[in-house]
PDB file of all heavy atoms in Angstrom:
ATOM      1  N   VAL P  83      -3.597  -9.812   5.139  1.00 97.00           N
ATOM      2  CA  VAL P  83      -3.509  -8.842   6.229  1.00 97.00           C
ATOM      3  C   VAL P  83      -4.555  -9.220   7.263  1.00 97.00           C
ATOM      4  O   VAL P  83      -5.710  -9.485   6.905  1.00 97.00           O
ATOM      5  CB  VAL P  83      -3.781  -7.409   5.723  1.00 97.00           C
ATOM      6  CG1 VAL P  83      -3.736  -6.411   6.882  1.00 97.00           C
ATOM      7  CG2 VAL P  83      -2.763  -7.019   4.655  1.00 97.00           C
ATOM      8  N   PRO P  84      -4.205  -9.261   8.546  1.00 96.00           N
ATOM      9  CA  PRO P  84      -5.214  -9.566   9.569  1.00 96.00           C
ATOM     10  C   PRO P  84      -6.352  -8.546   9.538  1.00 96.00           C
ATOM     11  O   PRO P  84      -6.109  -7.336   9.569  1.00 96.00           O
ATOM     12  CB  PRO P  84      -4.428  -9.481  10.887  1.00 96.00           C
ATOM     13  CG  PRO P  84      -2.998  -9.668  10.499  1.00 96.00           C
ATOM     14  CD  PRO P  84      -2.861  -9.066   9.128  1.00 96.00           C
ATOM     15  N   LEU P  85      -7.588  -9.032   9.447  1.00 96.00           N
ATOM     16  CA  LEU P  85      -8.754  -8.161   9.407  1.00 96.00           C
ATOM     17  C   LEU P  85      -9.610  -8.375  10.643  1.00 96.00           C
ATOM     18  O   LEU P  85      -9.651  -9.474  11.202  1.00 96.00           O
ATOM     19  CB  LEU P  85      -9.600  -8.452   8.148  1.00 96.00           C
ATOM     20  CG  LEU P  85      -8.912  -8.289   6.798  1.00 96.00           C
ATOM     21  CD1 LEU P  85      -9.886  -8.639   5.671  1.00 96.00           C
ATOM     22  CD2 LEU P  85      -8.359  -6.889   6.619  1.00 96.00           C
ATOM     23  N   GLU P  86     -10.285  -7.319  11.053  1.00 94.00           N
ATOM     24  CA  GLU P  86     -11.205  -7.411  12.172  1.00 94.00           C
ATOM     25  C   GLU P  86     -12.547  -7.967  11.695  1.00 94.00           C
ATOM     26  O   GLU P  86     -12.848  -7.920  10.492  1.00 94.00           O
ATOM     27  CB  GLU P  86     -11.394  -6.037  12.805  1.00 94.00           C
ATOM     28  CG  GLU P  86     -10.101  -5.442  13.356  1.00 94.00           C
ATOM     29  CD  GLU P  86     -10.272  -4.007  13.805  1.00 94.00           C
ATOM     30  OE1 GLU P  86     -11.395  -3.463  13.644  1.00 94.00           O
ATOM     31  OE2 GLU P  86      -9.295  -3.419  14.299  1.00 94.00           O
ATOM     32  N   PRO P  87     -13.370  -8.492  12.595  1.00 94.00           N
ATOM     33  CA  PRO P  87     -14.687  -9.015  12.183  1.00 94.00           C
ATOM     34  C   PRO P  87     -15.484  -7.953  11.417  1.00 94.00           C
ATOM     35  O   PRO P  87     -15.590  -6.810  11.852  1.00 94.00           O
ATOM     36  CB  PRO P  87     -15.353  -9.364  13.518  1.00 94.00           C
ATOM     37  CG  PRO P  87     -14.208  -9.653  14.436  1.00 94.00           C
ATOM     38  CD  PRO P  87     -13.115  -8.699  14.041  1.00 94.00           C
ATOM     39  N   GLY P  88     -16.017  -8.342  10.278  1.00 93.00           N
ATOM     40  CA  GLY P  88     -16.807  -7.422   9.467  1.00 93.00           C
ATOM     41  C   GLY P  88     -15.994  -6.511   8.569  1.00 93.00           C
ATOM     42  O   GLY P  88     -16.567  -5.755   7.773  1.00 93.00           O
ATOM     43  N   GLN P  89     -14.674  -6.564   8.649  1.00 95.00           N
ATOM     44  CA  GLN P  89     -13.812  -5.713   7.836  1.00 95.00           C
ATOM     45  C   GLN P  89     -13.554  -6.394   6.502  1.00 95.00           C
ATOM     46  O   GLN P  89     -13.015  -7.501   6.444  1.00 95.00           O
ATOM     47  CB  GLN P  89     -12.489  -5.451   8.569  1.00 95.00           C
ATOM     48  CG  GLN P  89     -11.573  -4.471   7.874  1.00 95.00           C
ATOM     49  CD  GLN P  89     -10.269  -4.243   8.644  1.00 95.00           C
ATOM     50  OE1 GLN P  89     -10.169  -4.579   9.829  1.00 95.00           O
ATOM     51  NE2 GLN P  89      -9.278  -3.689   7.987  1.00 95.00           N
ATOM     52  N   ALA P  90     -13.907  -5.739   5.388  1.00 95.00           N
ATOM     53  CA  ALA P  90     -13.811  -6.360   4.071  1.00 95.00           C
ATOM     54  C   ALA P  90     -12.437  -6.215   3.448  1.00 95.00           C
ATOM     55  O   ALA P  90     -12.026  -7.051   2.639  1.00 95.00           O
ATOM     56  CB  ALA P  90     -14.864  -5.757   3.139  1.00 95.00           C
ATOM     57  N   ALA P  91     -11.724  -5.164   3.789  1.00 97.00           N
ATOM     58  CA  ALA P  91     -10.424  -4.902   3.171  1.00 97.00           C
ATOM     59  C   ALA P  91      -9.510  -4.249   4.200  1.00 97.00           C
ATOM     60  O   ALA P  91      -9.981  -3.651   5.179  1.00 97.00           O
ATOM     61  CB  ALA P  91     -10.585  -3.987   1.960  1.00 97.00           C
ATOM     62  N   PRO P  92      -8.202  -4.332   3.995  1.00 98.00           N
ATOM     63  CA  PRO P  92      -7.273  -3.672   4.922  1.00 98.00           C
ATOM     64  C   PRO P  92      -7.501  -2.167   4.946  1.00 98.00           C
ATOM     65  O   PRO P  92      -7.955  -1.570   3.972  1.00 98.00           O
ATOM     66  CB  PRO P  92      -5.889  -4.014   4.349  1.00 98.00           C
ATOM     67  CG  PRO P  92      -6.104  -5.201   3.474  1.00 98.00           C
ATOM     68  CD  PRO P  92      -7.492  -5.065   2.920  1.00 98.00           C
ATOM     69  N   ARG P  93      -7.154  -1.560   6.069  1.00 98.00           N
ATOM     70  CA  ARG P  93      -7.078  -0.102   6.160  1.00 98.00           C
ATOM     71  C   ARG P  93      -5.629   0.306   5.918  1.00 98.00           C
ATOM     72  O   ARG P  93      -4.700  -0.409   6.287  1.00 98.00           O
ATOM     73  CB  ARG P  93      -7.546   0.378   7.537  1.00 98.00           C
ATOM     74  CG  ARG P  93      -9.040   0.188   7.780  1.00 98.00           C
ATOM     75  CD  ARG P  93      -9.455   0.823   9.107  1.00 98.00           C
ATOM     76  NE  ARG P  93      -8.993   0.033  10.226  1.00 98.00           N
ATOM     77  CZ  ARG P  93      -9.717  -0.892  10.856  1.00 98.00           C
ATOM     78  NH1 ARG P  93     -10.957  -1.141  10.435  1.00 98.00           N
ATOM     79  NH2 ARG P  93      -9.233  -1.560  11.877  1.00 98.00           N
ATOM     80  N   PHE P  94      -5.443   1.475   5.320  1.00 98.00           N
ATOM     81  CA  PHE P  94      -4.101   1.898   4.939  1.00 98.00           C
ATOM     82  C   PHE P  94      -3.786   3.280   5.499  1.00 98.00           C
ATOM     83  O   PHE P  94      -4.673   4.088   5.764  1.00 98.00           O
ATOM     84  CB  PHE P  94      -3.963   1.921   3.417  1.00 98.00           C
ATOM     85  CG  PHE P  94      -4.121   0.575   2.772  1.00 98.00           C
ATOM     86  CD1 PHE P  94      -5.356   0.166   2.275  1.00 98.00           C
ATOM     87  CD2 PHE P  94      -3.040  -0.288   2.662  1.00 98.00           C
ATOM     88  CE1 PHE P  94      -5.508  -1.076   1.682  1.00 98.00           C
ATOM     89  CE2 PHE P  94      -3.194  -1.542   2.063  1.00 98.00           C
ATOM     90  CZ  PHE P  94      -4.427  -1.926   1.574  1.00 98.00           C
ATOM     91  N   LEU P  95      -2.480   3.541   5.633  1.00 98.00           N
ATOM     92  CA  LEU P  95      -1.956   4.852   5.998  1.00 98.00           C
ATOM     93  C   LEU P  95      -0.761   5.121   5.108  1.00 98.00           C
ATOM     94  O   LEU P  95       0.146   4.287   5.023  1.00 98.00           O
ATOM     95  CB  LEU P  95      -1.545   4.874   7.473  1.00 98.00           C
ATOM     96  CG  LEU P  95      -0.790   6.121   7.967  1.00 98.00           C
ATOM     97  CD1 LEU P  95      -1.653   7.375   7.832  1.00 98.00           C
ATOM     98  CD2 LEU P  95      -0.333   5.932   9.416  1.00 98.00           C
ATOM     99  N   LEU P  96      -0.756   6.273   4.416  1.00 98.00           N
ATOM    100  CA  LEU P  96       0.309   6.595   3.476  1.00 98.00           C
ATOM    101  C   LEU P  96       1.153   7.746   3.995  1.00 98.00           C
ATOM    102  O   LEU P  96       0.627   8.675   4.620  1.00 98.00           O
ATOM    103  CB  LEU P  96      -0.273   6.960   2.114  1.00 98.00           C
ATOM    104  CG  LEU P  96      -0.637   5.788   1.194  1.00 98.00           C
ATOM    105  CD1 LEU P  96      -1.694   4.888   1.833  1.00 98.00           C
ATOM    106  CD2 LEU P  96      -1.103   6.283  -0.158  1.00 98.00           C
ATOM    107  N   MET P 107      -6.571   5.506  -4.213  1.00 98.00           N
ATOM    108  CA  MET P 107      -7.054   4.425  -3.356  1.00 98.00           C
ATOM    109  C   MET P 107      -8.432   4.756  -2.785  1.00 98.00           C
ATOM    110  O   MET P 107      -9.311   3.895  -2.696  1.00 98.00           O
ATOM    111  CB  MET P 107      -6.044   4.155  -2.245  1.00 98.00           C
ATOM    112  CG  MET P 107      -4.737   3.555  -2.750  1.00 98.00           C
ATOM    113  SD  MET P 107      -3.442   3.441  -1.474  1.00 98.00           S
ATOM    114  CE  MET P 107      -4.208   2.272  -0.335  1.00 98.00           C
ATOM    115  N   GLY P 111     -12.491   3.126  -3.026  1.00 98.00           N
ATOM    116  CA  GLY P 111     -13.226   2.752  -1.825  1.00 98.00           C
ATOM    117  C   GLY P 111     -12.375   2.173  -0.720  1.00 98.00           C
ATOM    118  O   GLY P 111     -12.918   1.637   0.256  1.00 98.00           O
ATOM    119  N   LEU P 112     -11.050   2.293  -0.821  1.00 98.00           N
ATOM    120  CA  LEU P 112     -10.168   1.772   0.220  1.00 98.00           C
ATOM    121  C   LEU P 112     -10.015   2.811   1.326  1.00 98.00           C
ATOM    122  O   LEU P 112      -9.785   3.995   1.049  1.00 98.00           O
ATOM    123  CB  LEU P 112      -8.801   1.422  -0.370  1.00 98.00           C
ATOM    124  CG  LEU P 112      -8.817   0.316  -1.427  1.00 98.00           C
ATOM    125  CD1 LEU P 112      -7.446   0.183  -2.083  1.00 98.00           C
ATOM    126  CD2 LEU P 112      -9.249  -1.008  -0.811  1.00 98.00           C
ATOM    127  N   ASP P 113     -10.138   2.379   2.560  1.00 98.00           N
ATOM    128  CA  ASP P 113     -10.009   3.252   3.723  1.00 98.00           C
ATOM    129  C   ASP P 113      -8.549   3.686   3.818  1.00 98.00           C
ATOM    130  O   ASP P 113      -7.680   2.921   4.259  1.00 98.00           O
ATOM    131  CB  ASP P 113     -10.443   2.495   4.981  1.00 98.00           C
ATOM    132  CG  ASP P 113     -10.487   3.384   6.215  1.00 98.00           C
ATOM    133  OD1 ASP P 113      -9.880   4.470   6.200  1.00 98.00           O
ATOM    134  OD2 ASP P 113     -11.116   2.978   7.214  1.00 98.00           O
ATOM    135  N   THR P 114      -8.267   4.929   3.410  1.00 98.00           N
ATOM    136  CA  THR P 114      -6.891   5.388   3.229  1.00 98.00           C
ATOM    137  C   THR P 114      -6.655   6.698   3.962  1.00 98.00           C
ATOM    138  O   THR P 114      -7.142   7.754   3.554  1.00 98.00           O
ATOM    139  CB  THR P 114      -6.587   5.588   1.730  1.00 98.00           C
ATOM    140  OG1 THR P 114      -6.885   4.381   1.022  1.00 98.00           O
ATOM    141  CG2 THR P 114      -5.136   5.954   1.521  1.00 98.00           C
ATOM    142  N   ALA P 115      -5.895   6.632   5.045  1.00 98.00           N
ATOM    143  CA  ALA P 115      -5.523   7.840   5.788  1.00 98.00           C
ATOM    144  C   ALA P 115      -4.251   8.418   5.188  1.00 98.00           C
ATOM    145  O   ALA P 115      -3.346   7.683   4.776  1.00 98.00           O
ATOM    146  CB  ALA P 115      -5.310   7.497   7.257  1.00 98.00           C
ATOM    147  N   GLN P 128      -0.107   6.000  14.627  1.00 98.00           N
ATOM    148  CA  GLN P 128      -1.436   5.900  14.019  1.00 98.00           C
ATOM    149  C   GLN P 128      -1.638   4.534  13.364  1.00 98.00           C
ATOM    150  O   GLN P 128      -2.705   3.924  13.489  1.00 98.00           O
ATOM    151  CB  GLN P 128      -1.663   6.996  12.990  1.00 98.00           C
ATOM    152  CG  GLN P 128      -3.067   6.933  12.367  1.00 98.00           C
ATOM    153  CD  GLN P 128      -3.353   8.051  11.394  1.00 98.00           C
ATOM    154  OE1 GLN P 128      -2.518   8.938  11.181  1.00 98.00           O
ATOM    155  NE2 GLN P 128      -4.530   8.040  10.787  1.00 98.00           N
ATOM    156  N   ALA P 129      -0.624   4.054  12.646  1.00 98.00           N
ATOM    157  CA  ALA P 129      -0.748   2.745  11.992  1.00 98.00           C
ATOM    158  C   ALA P 129      -1.037   1.656  13.022  1.00 98.00           C
ATOM    159  O   ALA P 129      -1.892   0.786  12.802  1.00 98.00           O
ATOM    160  CB  ALA P 129       0.533   2.424  11.220  1.00 98.00           C
ATOM    161  N   ASN P 130      -0.354   1.699  14.143  1.00 98.00           N
ATOM    162  CA  ASN P 130      -0.542   0.674  15.173  1.00 98.00           C
ATOM    163  C   ASN P 130      -1.885   0.806  15.864  1.00 98.00           C
ATOM    164  O   ASN P 130      -2.583  -0.193  16.093  1.00 98.00           O
ATOM    165  CB  ASN P 130       0.580   0.757  16.197  1.00 98.00           C
ATOM    166  CG  ASN P 130       1.929   0.344  15.628  1.00 98.00           C
ATOM    167  OD1 ASN P 130       2.003  -0.168  14.512  1.00 98.00           O
ATOM    168  ND2 ASN P 130       2.987   0.574  16.368  1.00 98.00           N
ATOM    169  N   GLU P 131      -2.269   2.034  16.225  1.00 98.00           N
ATOM    170  CA  GLU P 131      -3.518   2.244  16.961  1.00 98.00           C
ATOM    171  C   GLU P 131      -4.734   1.890  16.115  1.00 98.00           C
ATOM    172  O   GLU P 131      -5.725   1.357  16.632  1.00 98.00           O
ATOM    173  CB  GLU P 131      -3.604   3.694  17.444  1.00 98.00           C
ATOM    174  CG  GLU P 131      -2.630   4.024  18.573  1.00 98.00           C
ATOM    175  CD  GLU P 131      -2.781   5.455  19.054  1.00 98.00           C
ATOM    176  OE1 GLU P 131      -3.455   6.256  18.353  1.00 98.00           O
ATOM    177  OE2 GLU P 131      -2.228   5.778  20.122  1.00 98.00           O
ATOM    178  N   GLU P 132      -4.684   2.205  14.824  1.00 98.00           N
ATOM    179  CA  GLU P 132      -5.834   1.980  13.945  1.00 98.00           C
ATOM    180  C   GLU P 132      -5.687   0.724  13.090  1.00 98.00           C
ATOM    181  O   GLU P 132      -6.544   0.456  12.251  1.00 98.00           O
ATOM    182  CB  GLU P 132      -6.043   3.207  13.050  1.00 98.00           C
ATOM    183  CG  GLU P 132      -6.300   4.486  13.850  1.00 98.00           C
ATOM    184  CD  GLU P 132      -6.454   5.716  12.970  1.00 98.00           C
ATOM    185  OE1 GLU P 132      -6.542   5.559  11.729  1.00 98.00           O
ATOM    186  OE2 GLU P 132      -6.488   6.828  13.519  1.00 98.00           O
ATOM    187  N   ARG P 133      -4.621  -0.029  13.324  1.00 98.00           N
ATOM    188  CA  ARG P 133      -4.360  -1.268  12.584  1.00 98.00           C
ATOM    189  C   ARG P 133      -4.405  -1.018  11.078  1.00 98.00           C
ATOM    190  O   ARG P 133      -5.089  -1.699  10.310  1.00 98.00           O
ATOM    191  CB  ARG P 133      -5.341  -2.382  12.982  1.00 98.00           C
ATOM    192  CG  ARG P 133      -5.428  -2.625  14.462  1.00 98.00           C
ATOM    193  CD  ARG P 133      -4.098  -3.037  15.039  1.00 98.00           C
ATOM    194  NE  ARG P 133      -3.776  -4.445  14.807  1.00 98.00           N
ATOM    195  CZ  ARG P 133      -2.632  -5.016  15.209  1.00 98.00           C
ATOM    196  NH1 ARG P 133      -1.691  -4.289  15.804  1.00 98.00           N
ATOM    197  NH2 ARG P 133      -2.426  -6.296  14.983  1.00 98.00           N
ATOM    198  N   ARG P 134      -3.641  -0.017  10.674  1.00 98.00           N
ATOM    199  CA  ARG P 134      -3.528   0.327   9.265  1.00 98.00           C
ATOM    200  C   ARG P 134      -2.189  -0.165   8.713  1.00 98.00           C
ATOM    201  O   ARG P 134      -1.165  -0.112   9.410  1.00 98.00           O
ATOM    202  CB  ARG P 134      -3.626   1.846   9.050  1.00 98.00           C
ATOM    203  CG  ARG P 134      -4.998   2.429   9.370  1.00 98.00           C
ATOM    204  CD  ARG P 134      -5.036   3.941   9.115  1.00 98.00           C
ATOM    205  NE  ARG P 134      -6.357   4.481   9.405  1.00 98.00           N
ATOM    206  CZ  ARG P 134      -7.351   4.523   8.545  1.00 98.00           C
ATOM    207  NH1 ARG P 134      -7.165   4.080   7.307  1.00 98.00           N
ATOM    208  NH2 ARG P 134      -8.525   5.016   8.885  1.00 98.00           N
ATOM    209  N   VAL P 135      -2.188  -0.612   7.477  1.00 98.00           N
ATOM    210  CA  VAL P 135      -0.957  -0.974   6.794  1.00 98.00           C
ATOM    211  C   VAL P 135      -0.269   0.322   6.376  1.00 98.00           C
ATOM    212  O   VAL P 135      -0.846   1.122   5.629  1.00 98.00           O
ATOM    213  CB  VAL P 135      -1.242  -1.845   5.561  1.00 98.00           C
ATOM    214  CG1 VAL P 135       0.057  -2.153   4.829  1.00 98.00           C
ATOM    215  CG2 VAL P 135      -1.944  -3.135   5.966  1.00 98.00           C
ATOM    216  N   LEU P 136       0.944   0.529   6.843  1.00 98.00           N
ATOM    217  CA  LEU P 136       1.676   1.749   6.509  1.00 98.00           C
ATOM    218  C   LEU P 136       2.403   1.555   5.181  1.00 98.00           C
ATOM    219  O   LEU P 136       3.256   0.679   5.042  1.00 98.00           O
ATOM    220  CB  LEU P 136       2.675   2.081   7.614  1.00 98.00           C
ATOM    221  CG  LEU P 136       3.551   3.318   7.386  1.00 98.00           C
ATOM    222  CD1 LEU P 136       2.689   4.558   7.146  1.00 98.00           C
ATOM    223  CD2 LEU P 136       4.486   3.539   8.577  1.00 98.00           C
ATOM    224  N   LEU P 137       2.049   2.376   4.187  1.00 98.00           N
ATOM    225  CA  LEU P 137       2.672   2.322   2.873  1.00 98.00           C
ATOM    226  C   LEU P 137       3.668   3.462   2.737  1.00 98.00           C
ATOM    227  O   LEU P 137       3.352   4.617   3.053  1.00 98.00           O
ATOM    228  CB  LEU P 137       1.612   2.439   1.771  1.00 98.00           C
ATOM    229  CG  LEU P 137       0.498   1.388   1.778  1.00 98.00           C
ATOM    230  CD1 LEU P 137      -0.457   1.633   0.615  1.00 98.00           C
ATOM    231  CD2 LEU P 137       1.066  -0.020   1.727  1.00 98.00           C
ATOM    232  N   TRP P 150       3.600  -2.365  13.284  1.00 97.00           N
ATOM    233  CA  TRP P 150       2.931  -3.672  13.251  1.00 97.00           C
ATOM    234  C   TRP P 150       2.857  -4.250  11.842  1.00 97.00           C
ATOM    235  O   TRP P 150       2.931  -5.454  11.641  1.00 97.00           O
ATOM    236  CB  TRP P 150       1.528  -3.568  13.859  1.00 97.00           C
ATOM    237  CG  TRP P 150       0.457  -3.182  12.890  1.00 97.00           C
ATOM    238  CD1 TRP P 150       0.242  -1.941  12.377  1.00 97.00           C
ATOM    239  CD2 TRP P 150      -0.540  -4.037  12.318  1.00 97.00           C
ATOM    240  NE1 TRP P 150      -0.825  -1.972  11.511  1.00 97.00           N
ATOM    241  CE2 TRP P 150      -1.343  -3.243  11.455  1.00 97.00           C
ATOM    242  CE3 TRP P 150      -0.852  -5.388  12.453  1.00 97.00           C
ATOM    243  CZ2 TRP P 150      -2.406  -3.756  10.736  1.00 97.00           C
ATOM    244  CZ3 TRP P 150      -1.921  -5.906  11.723  1.00 97.00           C
ATOM    245  CH2 TRP P 150      -2.684  -5.094  10.882  1.00 97.00           C
ATOM    246  N   PHE P 151       2.700  -3.374  10.809  1.00 98.00           N
ATOM    247  CA  PHE P 151       2.564  -3.881   9.438  1.00 98.00           C
ATOM    248  C   PHE P 151       2.908  -2.745   8.476  1.00 98.00           C
ATOM    249  O   PHE P 151       2.271  -1.697   8.497  1.00 98.00           O
ATOM    250  CB  PHE P 151       1.132  -4.354   9.182  1.00 98.00           C
ATOM    251  CG  PHE P 151       0.987  -5.370   8.074  1.00 98.00           C
ATOM    252  CD1 PHE P 151       0.385  -6.595   8.317  1.00 98.00           C
ATOM    253  CD2 PHE P 151       1.445  -5.105   6.799  1.00 98.00           C
ATOM    254  CE1 PHE P 151       0.244  -7.549   7.312  1.00 98.00           C
ATOM    255  CE2 PHE P 151       1.318  -6.038   5.784  1.00 98.00           C
ATOM    256  CZ  PHE P 151       0.710  -7.263   6.045  1.00 98.00           C
ATOM    257  N   GLY P 152       3.905  -2.966   7.645  1.00 98.00           N
ATOM    258  CA  GLY P 152       4.278  -1.956   6.669  1.00 98.00           C
ATOM    259  C   GLY P 152       4.580  -2.591   5.330  1.00 98.00           C
ATOM    260  O   GLY P 152       4.780  -3.804   5.223  1.00 98.00           O
ATOM    261  N   ALA P 153       4.628  -1.776   4.294  1.00 98.00           N
ATOM    262  CA  ALA P 153       4.918  -2.283   2.947  1.00 98.00           C
ATOM    263  C   ALA P 153       5.588  -1.184   2.137  1.00 98.00           C
ATOM    264  O   ALA P 153       5.201  -0.010   2.215  1.00 98.00           O
ATOM    265  CB  ALA P 153       3.647  -2.752   2.248  1.00 98.00           C
ATOM    266  N   LEU P 167       0.364  -1.856  -5.337  1.00 98.00           N
ATOM    267  CA  LEU P 167      -0.465  -2.009  -4.142  1.00 98.00           C
ATOM    268  C   LEU P 167      -1.568  -3.039  -4.357  1.00 98.00           C
ATOM    269  O   LEU P 167      -1.805  -3.917  -3.509  1.00 98.00           O
ATOM    270  CB  LEU P 167      -1.029  -0.631  -3.772  1.00 98.00           C
ATOM    271  CG  LEU P 167      -2.032  -0.440  -2.637  1.00 98.00           C
ATOM    272  CD1 LEU P 167      -3.443  -0.806  -3.024  1.00 98.00           C
ATOM    273  CD2 LEU P 167      -1.608  -1.161  -1.374  1.00 98.00           C
ATOM    274  N   PHE P 171      -1.851  -6.763  -2.328  1.00 98.00           N
ATOM    275  CA  PHE P 171      -2.870  -7.055  -1.325  1.00 98.00           C
ATOM    276  C   PHE P 171      -4.189  -7.544  -1.913  1.00 98.00           C
ATOM    277  O   PHE P 171      -5.025  -8.087  -1.179  1.00 98.00           O
ATOM    278  CB  PHE P 171      -3.115  -5.821  -0.455  1.00 98.00           C
ATOM    279  CG  PHE P 171      -1.913  -5.421   0.365  1.00 98.00           C
ATOM    280  CD1 PHE P 171      -1.164  -4.307   0.015  1.00 98.00           C
ATOM    281  CD2 PHE P 171      -1.519  -6.174   1.447  1.00 98.00           C
ATOM    282  CE1 PHE P 171      -0.047  -3.937   0.749  1.00 98.00           C
ATOM    283  CE2 PHE P 171      -0.403  -5.820   2.192  1.00 98.00           C
ATOM    284  CZ  PHE P 171       0.337  -4.703   1.846  1.00 98.00           C
ATOM    285  N   PRO P 173      -7.034  -6.184  -2.539  1.00 98.00           N
ATOM    286  CA  PRO P 173      -8.116  -5.852  -1.601  1.00 98.00           C
ATOM    287  C   PRO P 173      -9.478  -5.793  -2.280  1.00 98.00           C
ATOM    288  O   PRO P 173      -9.582  -5.538  -3.489  1.00 98.00           O
ATOM    289  CB  PRO P 173      -7.713  -4.457  -1.105  1.00 98.00           C
ATOM    290  CG  PRO P 173      -6.993  -3.849  -2.273  1.00 98.00           C
ATOM    291  CD  PRO P 173      -6.244  -4.996  -2.914  1.00 98.00           C
ATOM    292  N   ALA P 174     -10.519  -6.040  -1.504  1.00 97.00           N
ATOM    293  CA  ALA P 174     -11.881  -5.848  -2.002  1.00 97.00           C
ATOM    294  C   ALA P 174     -12.086  -4.355  -2.275  1.00 97.00           C
ATOM    295  O   ALA P 174     -11.762  -3.517  -1.438  1.00 97.00           O
ATOM    296  CB  ALA P 174     -12.886  -6.354  -0.978  1.00 97.00           C
ATOM    297  N   ARG P 180     -15.975   6.656  -1.272  1.00 97.00           N
ATOM    298  CA  ARG P 180     -15.201   7.467  -0.331  1.00 97.00           C
ATOM    299  C   ARG P 180     -14.846   8.814  -0.950  1.00 97.00           C
ATOM    300  O   ARG P 180     -14.645   8.935  -2.161  1.00 97.00           O
ATOM    301  CB  ARG P 180     -13.918   6.745   0.098  1.00 97.00           C
ATOM    302  CG  ARG P 180     -14.181   5.614   1.062  1.00 97.00           C
ATOM    303  CD  ARG P 180     -12.922   5.091   1.725  1.00 97.00           C
ATOM    304  NE  ARG P 180     -13.292   4.082   2.697  1.00 97.00           N
ATOM    305  CZ  ARG P 180     -13.614   4.328   3.957  1.00 97.00           C
ATOM    306  NH1 ARG P 180     -13.576   5.581   4.398  1.00 97.00           N
ATOM    307  NH2 ARG P 180     -13.955   3.359   4.779  1.00 97.00           N
ATOM    308  N   ASN P 185     -11.322  11.112   2.786  1.00 98.00           N
ATOM    309  CA  ASN P 185     -11.490   9.690   3.096  1.00 98.00           C
ATOM    310  C   ASN P 185     -12.826   9.368   3.757  1.00 98.00           C
ATOM    311  O   ASN P 185     -13.104   8.224   4.092  1.00 98.00           O
ATOM    312  CB  ASN P 185     -10.350   9.172   3.994  1.00 98.00           C
ATOM    313  CG  ASN P 185     -10.272   7.660   4.066  1.00 98.00           C
ATOM    314  OD1 ASN P 185     -10.340   6.983   3.041  1.00 98.00           O
ATOM    315  ND2 ASN P 185     -10.136   7.113   5.266  1.00 98.00           N
TER     316      ASN P 185
END
Side-chain angles (χ1 to χ4, degrees):
V83 178
L85 301 179
E86 299 172 358
Q89 186 180 344
R93 291 186 287 265
F94 297 95
L95 172 62
L96 278 60
M107 292 172 64
L112 297 172
D113 186 342
T114 306
Q128 182 177 358
N130 292 351
E131 289 182 347
E132 300 178 10
R133 308 300 281 179
R134 293 181 179 273
V135 177
L136 178 56
L137 302 181
W150 88 285
F151 204 124
L167 175 281
F171 295 106
R180 286 193 176 272
N185 194 46

